[in-house]
Amino acid sequence: MSKKSKARKLLLFGLTPLVVLVVLVPVIALGLTSGPVPDSTTGQQATIQQYINSYINKQFSSADEGEAGFYVDQAALKTRLDSNGDGTILGEGDDMANAPVMVDNLDMIPTIIPGTEFRCVWNVDCFSAGSVNDVKQLVDSHKAAGFSTDVVDYCMTDHTAAPTTAGWGIIAQTGALATDGSIPNVYDFKWGRDGWTDTFTDSPQPTNTNPTKAADPATTSAAATPPADSCNASANNQELVRCSAAWAIGKTAGNVGNGVMPGGTSPNQTLNATQIVDVRSDTPANTVDNAHYNPASKTIQVPLQTLFNTGLTSVDPAQTTLIASRSQAAGGLAAMGLKMLGYNMSTGGYIHSGVSTWNDTMPGMQVKTGHVYTLDPIAAFTNPGFVSTAAPVISNVNTAPSNTSAKITWTTDHPDTSIVEYSTTPGGPYTKVTTGCDSGGTPENCTVLRANHSVTITGLSASTTYYYKVTSYDRYANSASTSEANFNTAIPRGSTDYVYYFPWYDTSNDGFGAGTWINIANDGASTATVSISLGGTFKTDFTLAAGAENNQIWSNYKGGPVEVRCVGCTTSGNHLTVAERALYNGTFNETIAPEHTEGGGASDLGTKYSFPWYDNKSDNMNGDWIVATNADPTNSATVDVYVGGVLKQTLGPIAPHATNTNPLQISPQMAGGPIRVVSRGGQPIVVSQRVLYGNSFNETFGRKLS
């Protein structure tokens, strides 16, 4: 059964908490109570002990007695899932690079924290072979998508999440949670679902204020002796650890997970324990007070980071054991590890919510006694239903190459990530673009969730065919990819090129929808190479035989400039005649572009132009625009427009090989002349005047004055 179908199946048992409890009891009794435990005679215990110890050593932090190394705090997890801080978990603009694999281990409430990818029942099937494989697939998917491979385990409260977190962490040490054998970090989400609310928060743990006594002397003991049933059938270490974790958490419902909490607020409750293992690193003066337990109990102080190596000699396997810790994460890990090794854990396994639980001055978890866990009161953190299985839907894929780069854009049906892979060979091998995705002109990681995607590939070779595909991952690491497509990069600009500009092109539906064509004729004696860009974006290149003609049209486009290049034609002796033919409301206009060389030289372009008259005021004059293109290859241009010797408006700065963004219609309405258009810094420019009169259109290039 796949991870998704399993998650959906489990949801069927989650209609109400009451139904779940009725169903789970026989499962626990019949399915796991007779399961195997490690066999000390075959070295299995030593193997399991090694992996428990390696988990602790990998993630232990001296802060908070180990808590910091095994917990994800609610505020920290919110930050990871809502990186842009807009209050929407894993929504538009959030970066999935830090989003962990989320595992819900209590399938009782039909809502889950957004981002949850797998659900299981903590003491029934979380450590089944199928569940481990499902989480492994999720870790692999996260790695492929560029997400975090951390695993965060959560439940209603820590007393069930802590031991399952320990199980996942120990299993991870064997390499079982990743195809490549890598070892992800595994964390407990503090307080589980209730951690999303502001109603109940974890309070600081104070030093125990009850009377204390020194720890009893350590006693050297033999290794724990497990029952007769064993994990001898396990084929390898991964299976051995998984098998022992499944046995430990399901052997007796509650022995490892249901932490002990004194009734009421009385500090004098006596709990049945004959051996208390205090895993804090504090001095013996802070050792747990035995008076709250069986007076015959003894306290053994063994820090968590040494418990599963030298510390095991202090724990008597013949005695029932209770774990005391500052946090449930450390207590649950210690209790789970000892149970996996066959130690006799008392009912409860570890003190619920840490050492401060029985302090009258800091009741801690006692404030939650009788609390009914309801649906999350913060709407932004309530998932609408099942874990997502639907792959993103990709559409509107477009490319805009230049000679050394290409911009790829597409859309998805909801916010997803943006990945482009490209190659010069059909079918790859591909190079993946993982950074530099565009967001409003600002580069960002490609793991940021977007509905509109833009990735610019840089460092390409000019005049080359590239093959590419785009991929998007949703917040659950479901992916979709396009089939392979291709684009051509432009021929490099050269000082031996002839260049022809039209400042504006229009095939929009505002009268120009009938068509605007660029017509090109080769008037030379040999074949010419022609390259065309529109609005600064490379469109096409092709060869044109001597005496041949070609025309180009781009649908539903408005902007400029149109740039036609005759590549190397100043040396080959070829010349092009380039015209723009436009239909507007049934009328026709044709304009011939001037020829110039890149960067000046024998240029037909100037820096000053003149028109006799301007009129956007008289009857039937429906518009009069001045449009300027900067033909300078490197410098921006600022262009002044004078009417009757008076400066009326200034265009720019206009970037190299670009046109002023909107055609200039001088305001307020006026009629007069002459018009003079001047490039203030001396950059070569191309200037035209576009006029609408009634339903007709006319465009004229200005006369060069210099």
Side-chain angles (χ1 to χ4, degrees):
M1 182 179 295
S2 71
K3 64 178 181 293
K4 304 303 183 184
S5 60
K6 175 182 284 291
R8 289 172 181 265
K9 180 179 180 181
L10 287 176
L11 281 171
L12 296 177
F13 294 97
L15 297 179
T16 66
L18 179 61
V19 173
V20 176
L21 294 176
V22 171
V23 173
L24 294 186
V25 169
V27 174
I28 295 169
L30 298 178
L32 292 174
T33 54
S34 61
V37 294
D39 187 341
S40 61
T41 64
T42 63
Q44 289 181 332
Q45 283 181 312
T47 299
I48 296 168
Q49 178 182 339
Q50 167 197 337
Y51 288 114
I52 298 171
N53 193 53
S54 62
Y55 175 48
I56 294 173
N57 287 335
K58 182 175 189 290
Q59 294 188 208
F60 182 85
S61 170
S62 59
D64 301 322
E65 312 298 339
E67 174 180 0
F70 303 102
Y71 263 137
V72 171
D73 182 79
Q74 57 175 326
L77 185 58
K78 280 186 182 180
T79 298
R80 292 180 68 168
L81 300 181
D82 181 21
S83 60
N84 65 356
D86 66 354
T88 300
I89 294 293
L90 298 180
E92 180 80 20
D94 287 332
D95 192 345
M96 290 296 295
N98 290 319
V101 175
M102 297 281 289
V103 177
D104 179 357
N105 67 48
L106 183 59
D107 191 27
M108 291 180 66
I109 298 178
T111 56
I112 52 180
I113 293 175
T116 298
E117 295 167 90
F118 181 68
R119 306 187 74 180
C120 55
V121 178
W122 69 280
N123 56 353
V124 176
D125 70 337
C126 279
F127 300 143
S128 68
S131 292
V132 172
N133 187 62
D134 289 342
V135 174
K136 175 181 180 180
Q137 291 181 43
L138 289 169
V139 171
D140 289 344
S141 297
H142 269 238
K143 189 166 188 176
F147 300 173
S148 170
T149 57
D150 290 351
V151 176
V152 172
D153 181 75
Y154 75 93
C155 194
M156 187 82 73
T157 57
D158 272 355
H159 66 278
T160 45
T164 49
T165 299
W168 288 119
I170 298 165
I171 291 170
Q173 295 302 304
T174 69
L177 296 187
T179 297
D180 62 2
S182 59
I183 301 172
N185 294 325
V186 180
Y187 300 98
D188 176 9
F189 171 33
K190 184 182 289 188
W191 299 139
R193 282 189 188 83
D194 207 43
W196 289 118
T197 73
D198 293 328
T199 306
F200 297 102
T201 57
D202 183 27
S203 301
Q205 304 287 352
T207 301
N208 184 16
T209 58
N210 288 313
T212 62
K213 72 169 187 175
D216 287 309
T219 56
T220 303
S221 63
T225 303
D229 50 352
S230 70
C231 283
N232 283 331
S234 300
N236 51 48
N237 288 347
Q238 289 185 0
E239 174 58 22
L240 170 64
V241 171
R242 184 207 64 76
C243 167
S244 61
W247 175 85
I249 206 163
K251 180 66 176 178
T252 322
N255 264 19
V256 175
N258 290 328
V260 173
M261 180 173 67
T265 59
S266 170
N268 298 314
Q269 172 117 6
T270 298
L271 301 177
N272 182 25
T274 60
Q275 178 176 232
I276 301 173
V277 178
D278 189 341
V279 298
R280 298 174 297 159
S281 300
D282 291 345
T283 62
N286 287 330
T287 300
V288 67
D289 178 13
N290 286 343
H292 295 86
Y293 299 90
N294 187 322
S297 297
K298 65 178 180 178
T299 300
I300 303 166
Q301 188 171 32
V302 185
L304 179 64
Q305 64 270 40
T306 62
L307 176 60
F308 290 97
N309 42 65
T310 58
L312 281 180
T313 59
S314 301
V315 183
D316 188 349
Q319 302 295 319
T320 56
T321 303
L322 180 68
I323 300 295
S325 63
R326 192 177 300 277
S327 67
Q328 291 192 63
L333 173 53
M336 181 68 175
L338 290 174
K339 188 67 177 178
M340 288 175 65
L341 292 173
Y343 283 76
N344 185 14
M345 306 303 298
S346 66
T347 299
Y350 60 97
I351 299 173
H352 197 169
S353 106
V355 176
S356 68
T357 297
W358 61 88
N359 290 346
D360 286 343
T361 56
M362 181 56 64
M365 192 64 180
Q366 287 184 8
V367 299
K368 291 186 177 231
T369 302
H371 173 61
V372 177
Y373 292 90
T374 60
L375 300 186
D376 195 323
I378 303 176
F381 302 138
T382 300
N383 198 63
F386 298 113
V387 175
S388 172
T389 59
V393 177
I394 298 174
S395 57
N396 302 317
V397 181
N398 290 292
T399 60
S402 67
N403 59 324
T404 59
S405 66
K407 185 176 183 179
I408 316 295
T409 60
W410 69 98
T411 59
T412 50
D413 56 332
H414 45 63
D416 301 302
T417 68
S418 311
I419 304 295
V420 170
E421 297 174 282
Y422 67 97
S423 174
T424 55
T425 304
Y430 293 102
T431 298
K432 179 185 288 188
V433 181
T434 56
T435 59
C437 296
D438 309 315
S439 173
T442 303
E444 62 183 17
N445 293 332
C446 297
T447 49
V448 172
L449 298 174
R450 298 287 182 199
N452 296 297
H453 307 264
S454 176
V455 178
T456 299
I457 312 171
T458 59
L460 303 180
S461 299
S463 192
T464 303
T465 299
Y466 285 90
Y467 302 87
Y468 75 97
K469 60 182 179 180
V470 303
T471 298
S472 286
Y473 292 87
D474 68 9
R475 66 185 188 177
Y476 301 103
N478 298 309
S479 67
S481 299
T482 61
S483 56
E484 185 180 77
N486 65 80
F487 61 84
N488 295 319
T489 50
I491 297 172
R493 301 177 184 275
S495 60
T496 60
D497 296 348
Y498 283 127
V499 187
Y500 311 81
Y501 281 109
F502 295 101
W504 202 252
Y505 182 89
D506 198 343
T507 50
S508 64
N509 292 321
D510 52 2
F512 290 95
T516 299
W517 291 266
I518 303 300
N519 291 94
I520 305 150
N522 180 5
D523 296 323
S526 61
T527 297
T529 298
V530 180
S531 180
I532 302 178
S533 296
L534 184 60
T537 299
F538 170 71
K539 285 297 183 182
T540 186
D541 54 33
F542 53 88
T543 57
L544 191 61
E549 180 269 344
N550 183 282
N551 68 83
Q552 300 285 325
I553 186 171
W554 301 277
S555 61
N556 197 30
Y557 183 91
K558 178 164 64 174
V562 178
E563 178 187 284
V564 180
R565 307 180 71 83
C566 187
V567 180
C569 289
T570 63
T571 56
S572 67
N574 289 320
H575 295 267
L576 303 180
T577 299
V578 184
E580 183 177 60
R581 299 162 67 92
L583 299 179
Y584 176 79
N585 285 340
T587 65
F588 171 78
N589 182 83
E590 182 169 16
T591 305
I592 305 295
E595 179 181 86
H596 76 284
T597 55
E598 180 72 273
S603 176
D604 285 338
L605 299 187
T607 61
K608 301 177 183 179
Y609 290 86
S610 176
F611 299 93
W613 194 253
Y614 180 90
D615 191 348
N616 67 351
K617 180 178 181 181
S618 301
D619 291 344
N620 290 324
M621 296 298 296
N622 294 323
D624 193 340
W625 292 270
I626 303 298
V627 192
T629 293
N630 177 17
D632 191 291
T634 56
N635 301 303
S636 296
T638 299
V639 178
D640 294 324
V641 181
Y642 298 84
V643 179
V646 178
L647 177 63
K648 288 294 184 181
Q649 288 188 5
T650 297
L651 308 176
I654 305 172
H657 299 292
T659 293
N660 52 304
T661 305
N662 294 303
L664 173 61
Q665 184 165 14
I666 297 174
S667 60
Q669 288 185 327
M670 62 162 293
I675 305 169
R676 179 170 291 190
V677 183
V678 179
S679 174
R680 187 185 298 177
Q683 292 80 22
I685 56 176
V686 180
V687 183
S688 69
Q689 182 175 198
R690 297 167 66 92
V691 177
L692 296 181
Y693 177 79
N695 290 325
S696 68
F697 165 75
N698 175 257
E699 182 172 20
T700 306
F701 283 111
R703 185 178 73 86
K704 184 174 66 172
L705 297 179
S706 61

